[in-house]
Amino acid sequence: MARGRPRRTTGDVMLKSAEMIGWAIGGLEREIAATRERLANLTAQAAALRAKLPSGARGTSTVSSEPEPVTAGKSGGRRRGKMSAEARRRISEMMTKRWADYRKTKGSDTSAAPARKRKRRLSAEARKRISDAQKKRWAEHRKAAK
């Protein structure tokens, strides 16, 4: 008598794969039905709330019962409201004041900080000496390569 599990035949594997796919499809179909039911309940609640609005405030709904396809891009994002010129001016004044206060406090603290060192620069003579030395090294390198 052979030990271990019996070997599977390809027919058994295919049968079990098809069975698993069937279960997955069944689960998805149940989820779709439940989602449709929730959508119908929410639509009914929205209609009841719209009925409570005054007649002048009722408008056409921006939400349709059919789901819209998801598209990439800016159209799917959040819409931003327009800011009035006065609001922009107030924000600008507040930020200007904040930066001025920041610079005042920063200016008093900079005395304690070490001063930045000036960047050192090579003289023309030093640059020429370095260039000549490098040219000499490359000439020797090319000569050795031949």
Side-chain angles (χ1 to χ4, degrees):
M1 183 174 232
R3 291 184 170 175
R5 289 188 316 190
R7 290 188 179 184
R8 292 183 191 171
T9 61
T10 57
D12 292 342
V13 173
M14 292 299 286
L15 181 64
K16 289 185 179 180
S17 295
E19 192 176 4
M20 293 285 279
I21 291 170
W23 290 339
I25 290 172
L28 289 172
E29 288 173 347
R30 280 191 299 276
E31 189 65 32
I32 289 169
T35 303
R36 283 189 179 137
E37 190 175 320
R38 284 193 300 265
L39 179 62
N41 289 337
L42 290 172
T43 306
Q45 288 177 7
L49 288 173
R50 268 192 219 101
K52 292 180 181 180
L53 284 175
S55 61
R58 287 185 202 160
T60 58
S61 173
T62 58
V63 179
S64 67
S65 61
E66 290 295 317
E68 294 182 20
V70 177
T71 57
K74 292 184 180 180
S75 63
R78 191 184 97 198
R79 289 186 58 179
R80 296 179 186 219
K82 299 285 185 182
M83 191 181 298
S84 69
E86 188 214 348
R88 279 196 304 270
R89 184 182 53 76
R90 274 193 326 233
I91 291 171
S92 174
E93 288 172 357
M94 286 190 301
M95 290 305 295
T96 305
K97 184 180 175 201
R98 285 184 191 138
W99 274 107
D101 292 344
Y102 173 76
R103 288 188 185 105
K104 282 181 192 172
T105 59
K106 184 84 171 166
S108 63
D109 292 345
T110 55
S111 60
R116 288 183 62 178
K117 290 187 177 182
R118 195 172 70 92
K119 190 173 182 180
R120 296 173 61 180
R121 304 211 184 265
L122 287 174
S123 66
E125 182 186 333
R127 248 193 325 268
K128 180 155 177 40
R129 276 199 321 258
I130 292 170
S131 175
D132 291 342
Q134 192 64 33
K135 285 177 185 176
K136 183 179 174 185
R137 284 188 208 106
W138 273 110
E140 289 173 1
H141 177 73
R142 287 189 198 99
K143 188 176 180 182
K146 285 184 180 180

